[in-house]
């Protein structure tokens, strides 16, 4: 089925070989490492999530506490903590993790099974677990939980070289491989994730059984081999290679699409590649919120119909934005096209970042595009970020992404080096037998001036590919779902050394191909005008509305900055807008100011802030989309 040497044609630079050191992301990464990870572990202890492993292992008495999928939250925080250890050694954190891994080992049954909700007391397992193993996979997260365990175990092995957790994961995967297969039990997990985890085990071990098992779980979806299909909610209504419309639970879908992209790359299966391309076109062309959020409906945390993109009632789960990031990064690695990083960036700066407060201890599960202060959009609260949730997938997910963010910045293929994200920092890699150091300096996303000092240890010939974001090429996305009014102003400029370089755009990248010697400075200028955004007329709720963007940042009006009811404001096409950086506001950000019309037609000054920053002050209203005048 696969060539053991087959992989993505493009490989990301490991996040340990790159370091972000800017004012924007570094504080978020530091907060994730120093605040959110310890806080998440504290909450996992308070809520019995960690005690469940001790109980399952006979280390303490008591019943299972919480929800049957709570094991996954602990594994996700461990994965983030393992990434933190790779950034900087922390003996106390490592010792804490080793103690936690001892509890995992105790909770694992002799044959490798690990699911605390059943093991603690099989006769009193929560109802959704099913009466016996593998008996209620549509609901019970039995396979989902361990998928997160596999990812965490690989991350910890790579951080420390210690095998204990990895061996726990491998024993569990071997058990599942002995149970499931074409000639064995033919069933799938209601919530996808194990597929991604199995690919991670395959990568670290080279054992093709894990890759084949990941593909089996995907191949079985939508095929009723002795079982009842779970339906569109679980993306189990059609074989995955026949799916072209994004349906059902958005997080499940995003994880599945990421796993499908892995299979397309690692097995060379063209049918999988065609499917993820078609699904991507559907999402980006018809089902993507301006903020990069996916999953329009509260009902089922699910995608809606094509062009169903509400504001006040939008769901846009934080985990779904993260899944979109994971999927689009893989799509880039598969194709080398910048349009996938454009979507990754949009979700990263907006739909994802809004989900975690600047304090690192408060979170949004749901990310609507409007708030009236009354509609209960956020699982029981009209507006405030919450310190925790009964289902806390989002607070535990963010610590997997932020510590590893530098791994999304650079990539390489043969003699091509890709620069995908812009942030002050440094990276080290190799090409054409030369050691290469890249030092990037920028105030992005507030300023479009970017310099890269590229130093080679010996002369080398390779191409540097600098992503030119879609907003700098006059369009929000590579689809007609949104458009700018008028077209964005300004021009991209590029200099190499002392010379201005012609722009050679290929697949969304400015191509600089040459023989490099010593140190060379590359200067890229991206225009960052304030852009008015209109939606496709097929989006009923956005017809007659306008939104504001500047660079990768989507803006929102919040009552904390505006005296007039923001939901009633009308912005005329001719209204003059200005951007101003305010270093003391919400950690430092650029605002947009202008004048709009109130409900009675009076002119009212307004201030807009980045969408990610809303909800940090007093309760009130918010909107991304204004009435258009």
């Amino acid at each position: 089925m696969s060539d053991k040497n087959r992989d993505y044609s493009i490989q990301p630079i490991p996040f340990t070989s790159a370091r972000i050191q800017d004012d924007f992301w570094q504080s978020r990464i530091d907060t994730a490492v120093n605040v959110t990870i310890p806080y998440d572990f504290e909450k996992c202890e308070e809520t019995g999530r960690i005690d469940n492993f001790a109980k399952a292992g006979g280390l303490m008495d008591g019943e299972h506490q919480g929800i049957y999928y709570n094991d996954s939250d602990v594994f996700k925080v461990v994965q983030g903590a393992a990434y933190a250890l790779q950034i900087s050694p922390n003996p106390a954190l490592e010792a804490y993790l080793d103690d936690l891994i001892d509890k995992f080992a105790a909770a694992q049954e002799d044959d490798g099974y690990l699911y605390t909700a059943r093991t603690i007391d099989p006769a009193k397992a929560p109802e959704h677990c099913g009466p016996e193993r593998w008996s209620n996979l549509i609901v019970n997260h039995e396979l989902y939980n361990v998928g997160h365990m596999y990812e965490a175990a690989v991350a910890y092995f790579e951080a420390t070289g210690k095998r204990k957790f990895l061996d726990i994961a491998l024993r569990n995967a071997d058990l599942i491989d002995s149970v499931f297969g074409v000639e064995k039990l033919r069933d799938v997990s209601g919530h996808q994730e194990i597929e991604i985890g199995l690919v991670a085990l395959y990568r670290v071990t080279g054992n093709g059984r894990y890759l084949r098992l990941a593909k089996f779980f995907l191949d079985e979806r939508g095929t009723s081999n002795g079982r009842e299909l779970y339906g569109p909610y679980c993306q189990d209504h059609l074989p995955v290679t026949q799916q072209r419309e994004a349906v059902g639970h958005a997080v499940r879908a995003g994880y599945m699409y990421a796993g499908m992209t892995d299979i397309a790359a690692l097995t060379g299966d063209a049918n999988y590649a065609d499917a993820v391309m078609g699904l991507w076109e559907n999402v980006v062309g018809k089902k993507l919120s301006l903020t990069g959020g996916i999953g329009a409906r509260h009902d089922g945390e699910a995608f809606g119909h094509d062009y169903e993109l509400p504001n006040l009632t939008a769901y846009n789960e934080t985990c779904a934005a993260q899944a979109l990031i994971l999927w689009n990064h893989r799509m880039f690695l598969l194709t080398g096209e910048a349009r996938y990083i454009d979507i990754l960036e949009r979700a990263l700066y907006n739909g994802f970042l809004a989900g975690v407060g600047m304090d690192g201890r408060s979170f949004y599960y749901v990310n609507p595009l409007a708030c009236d202060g009354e509609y209960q959009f956020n699982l029981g609260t009209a507006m405030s970020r919450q310190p925790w949730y009964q289902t806390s997938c989002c607070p535990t997910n963010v610590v997997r992404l932020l510590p590893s963010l530098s791994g999304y910045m650079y990539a390489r293929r043969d003699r091509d080096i890709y620069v995908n994200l812009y942030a002050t920092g440094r990276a080290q890699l190799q090409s054409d037998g030369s050691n290469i150091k890249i030092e990037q300096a920028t105030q992005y996303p507030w300023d479009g001036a970017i310099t890269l000092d590229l130093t080679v240890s010996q002369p080398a010939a390779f191409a540097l590919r600098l992503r030119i974001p879609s907003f700098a090429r006059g369009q929000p996305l590579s689809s007609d779902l949104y458009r700018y009014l008028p077209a964005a102003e300004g021009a991209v400029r590029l200099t190499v050394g002392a010379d201005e370089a012609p722009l050679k755009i290929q697949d969304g990248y400015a191509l600089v191909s040459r023989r490099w010697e010593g140190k060379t400075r590359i200067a890229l200028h991206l225009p960052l005008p304030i852009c008015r955004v209109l939606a496709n007329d097929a989006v009923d709720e956005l017809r007659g509305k306008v939104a504001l963007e500047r660079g990768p940042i989507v803006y929102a009006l919040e009552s904390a900055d505006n005296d007039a009811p923001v939901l009633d404001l009308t912005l005329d096409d001719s209204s003059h807008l200005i951007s101003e950086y305010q270093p003391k506001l919400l950690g430092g950000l650029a605002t947009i100011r202008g004048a709009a019309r109130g409900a009675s037609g009076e002119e009212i000054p307004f201030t807009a802030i980045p969408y990610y920053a809303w909800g940090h002050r007093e309760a009130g209203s918010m909107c991304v989309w204004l009435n258009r005048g």
Side-chain angles (χ1 to χ4, degrees):
M1 182 190 74
S2 65
D3 179 340
K4 67 179 181 180
N5 296 317
R6 190 191 298 276
D7 206 334
Y8 285 99
S9 60
I10 299 170
Q11 290 292 303
I13 303 306
F15 73 89
T16 52
S17 298
R19 187 62 59 92
I20 294 174
Q21 299 168 306
D22 72 347
D23 293 334
F24 188 93
W25 285 113
Q26 185 60 56
S27 63
R28 290 289 191 145
I29 294 169
D30 288 346
T31 299
V33 169
N34 299 320
V35 177
T36 312
I37 289 173
Y39 178 77
D40 280 356
F41 277 134
E42 176 185 324
K43 287 296 184 182
C44 285
E45 291 173 358
E46 289 178 3
T47 57
R49 283 166 165 83
I50 290 175
D51 282 349
N52 283 338
F53 291 97
K55 293 172 184 176
L59 304 178
M60 64 182 296
D61 296 327
E63 297 180 348
H64 182 270
Q65 188 171 349
I67 307 172
Y68 47 91
Y69 45 71
N70 279 356
D71 291 359
S72 64
D73 292 330
V74 181
F75 295 140
K76 284 186 286 185
V77 187
V78 170
Q79 185 181 354
Y83 289 156
L85 290 179
Q86 293 185 58
I87 294 174
S88 179
N90 183 332
L93 177 59
E94 186 172 341
Y96 179 87
L97 294 177
D98 285 341
D99 180 70
L100 192 52
I101 290 165
D102 287 342
K103 293 182 173 69
F104 298 161
Q108 186 169 41
E109 298 185 21
D110 291 343
D111 62 356
Y113 187 74
L114 210 168
Y115 183 51
T116 66
R118 185 183 309 283
T119 299
I120 289 173
D121 187 349
K124 296 182 180 179
E127 178 183 357
H128 290 300
C129 295
E132 57 188 22
R133 292 182 183 184
W134 331 118
S135 60
N136 196 23
L137 291 177
I138 185 175
V139 171
N140 67 15
H141 290 60
E142 205 168 2
L143 299 177
Y144 166 85
N145 287 354
V146 296
H148 279 301
M149 178 176 71
Y150 301 164
E151 290 198 86
V154 169
Y156 193 67
F157 173 69
E158 291 175 340
T160 66
K162 298 176 181 178
R163 286 194 59 95
K164 184 170 185 176
F165 192 16
L166 181 62
D167 288 339
I168 292 169
L170 293 175
R171 281 195 299 273
N172 181 265
D174 290 343
L175 168 67
I176 292 171
D177 185 54
S178 73
V179 172
F180 292 87
V182 173
E183 303 299 328
K184 308 167 192 173
L185 177 60
R186 304 189 73 160
D187 208 340
V188 299
S189 177
H191 195 315
Q192 299 89 323
E193 162 60 21
I194 191 172
E195 302 85 355
I196 295 175
L198 285 166
V199 169
L201 292 183
Y202 164 70
R203 286 187 176 282
V204 79
T205 65
N207 190 331
R209 287 191 299 112
Y210 303 130
L211 180 62
R212 288 191 291 273
L213 185 57
K215 187 172 186 295
F216 163 80
F217 282 129
L218 290 168
D219 287 343
E220 284 297 299
R221 304 194 88 83
T223 59
S224 53
N225 294 307
R227 67 179 181 89
E228 183 178 344
L229 295 183
Y230 301 154
Y233 173 77
C234 299
Q235 297 78 40
D236 189 33
H237 57 299
L238 286 172
V240 296
T241 55
Q242 296 178 22
Q243 295 186 30
R244 294 295 185 275
E245 181 183 359
V247 297
H249 189 276
V251 180
R252 298 172 196 235
Y255 286 171
M256 187 180 86
Y257 303 158
M260 289 171 63
T261 312
D262 282 340
I263 295 302
L266 294 170
T267 71
D269 191 316
N271 292 325
Y272 270 82
D274 289 345
V276 292
M277 299 290 182
L279 289 161
W280 189 88
E281 294 287 351
N282 179 249
V283 170
V284 174
K286 299 177 180 179
K287 297 191 176 184
L288 183 73
S289 288
L290 187 64
T291 54
I294 55 173
R297 296 178 177 175
H298 281 242
D299 183 15
E301 302 178 327
F303 288 103
H305 296 304
D306 288 349
Y307 301 112
E308 183 182 337
L309 295 168
N311 290 316
L312 183 67
T313 64
Y315 201 72
N316 294 343
E317 185 181 337
T318 300
C319 286
Q322 182 158 335
L324 188 70
I325 290 168
L326 298 176
W327 177 32
N328 275 271
H329 189 231
R330 286 165 165 83
M331 292 294 286
F332 156 73
L333 298 176
L334 187 69
T335 65
E337 296 178 22
R339 59 180 179 158
Y340 301 110
I341 302 297
D342 291 339
I343 301 301
L344 183 157
E345 182 179 60
R346 178 172 293 275
L348 177 65
Y349 277 95
N350 302 291
F352 167 79
L353 194 57
V356 54
M358 296 176 187
D359 60 0
R361 292 170 171 262
S362 57
F363 311 91
Y364 277 153
Y365 194 112
V366 181
N367 296 280
L369 282 78
C371 177
D372 62 6
E374 297 179 2
Y375 179 73
Q376 304 293 302
F377 73 86
N378 203 34
L379 300 186
T381 175
M383 113 151 15
S384 301
R385 285 179 178 81
Q386 297 299 293
W388 195 249
Y389 296 93
Q390 184 180 20
T391 295
S392 258
C393 51
C394 299
T396 56
N397 230 349
V398 297
V399 297
R400 301 198 301 147
L401 179 58
L402 287 169
S404 62
L405 183 60
S406 59
Y408 295 83
M409 292 187 66
Y410 302 96
R412 62 181 300 272
R413 173 172 58 188
D414 299 329
R415 294 187 177 184
D416 288 357
I417 296 174
Y418 293 81
V419 183
N420 282 327
L421 299 177
Y422 297 110
T424 295
R426 52 187 170 80
Q428 293 182 323
L429 59 152
Q430 290 186 329
S431 184
D432 194 26
S434 179
N435 295 320
I436 302 167
K437 181 170 68 174
I438 299 175
E439 295 179 281
Q440 186 180 154
T442 182
Q443 293 299 313
Y444 191 86
W446 313 126
D447 191 299
I450 301 155
T451 62
L452 298 103
D453 288 331
L454 190 152
T455 305
V456 295
S457 62
Q458 61 187 48
F462 57 86
L464 187 68
R465 293 178 178 266
L466 304 166
R467 183 176 65 93
I468 307 302
S470 57
F471 66 75
R473 291 181 277 122
Q475 57 186 26
L477 312 173
S478 60
S479 75
D480 66 356
L481 185 57
Y482 303 106
R483 69 185 189 278
Y484 290 138
L485 178 76
E489 300 174 357
V492 177
R493 300 194 304 274
L494 177 67
T495 60
V496 180
D499 303 321
E500 187 167 346
L503 279 176
K504 301 177 181 178
I505 305 295
Q506 187 178 92
D507 294 328
Y509 291 87
L511 183 64
V512 183
S513 184
R514 58 181 285 173
R515 183 172 175 81
W516 305 82
E517 297 184 11
K519 182 177 181 178
T520 305
R521 170 160 289 186
I522 302 100
L524 176 67
H525 175 78
L526 300 175
L528 298 181
I530 299 169
C531 295
R532 289 171 164 84
V533 186
L534 305 181
N536 189 302
D537 285 342
V539 184
D540 289 341
E541 190 159 339
L542 301 183
R543 200 176 298 123
K545 300 282 189 179
V546 61
L548 299 175
E549 288 186 355
R550 183 173 182 269
I553 303 295
V554 174
Y555 279 76
L557 276 68
E558 191 176 11
S559 57
D561 303 298
N562 298 280
D563 294 330
V566 296
L567 294 168
D568 295 337
L569 294 180
T570 297
L571 179 64
D572 292 334
D573 291 350
S574 59
S575 177
H576 180 63
L577 303 173
I578 62 172
S579 176
E580 180 182 10
Y581 184 75
Q582 298 192 31
K584 295 184 179 180
L585 179 61
L586 295 169
L589 48 77
T591 60
I592 293 176
R593 292 189 291 115
R597 287 185 287 114
S600 301
E602 71 278 20
E603 184 174 275
I604 298 174
F606 74 84
T607 298
I609 62 170
Y611 172 78
Y612 73 76
W614 90 278
H616 282 90
R617 295 168 292 178
E618 64 268 20
S621 55
M622 177 276 294
C623 68
V624 169
W625 292 94
L626 296 162
N627 298 316
R628 181 189 174 197

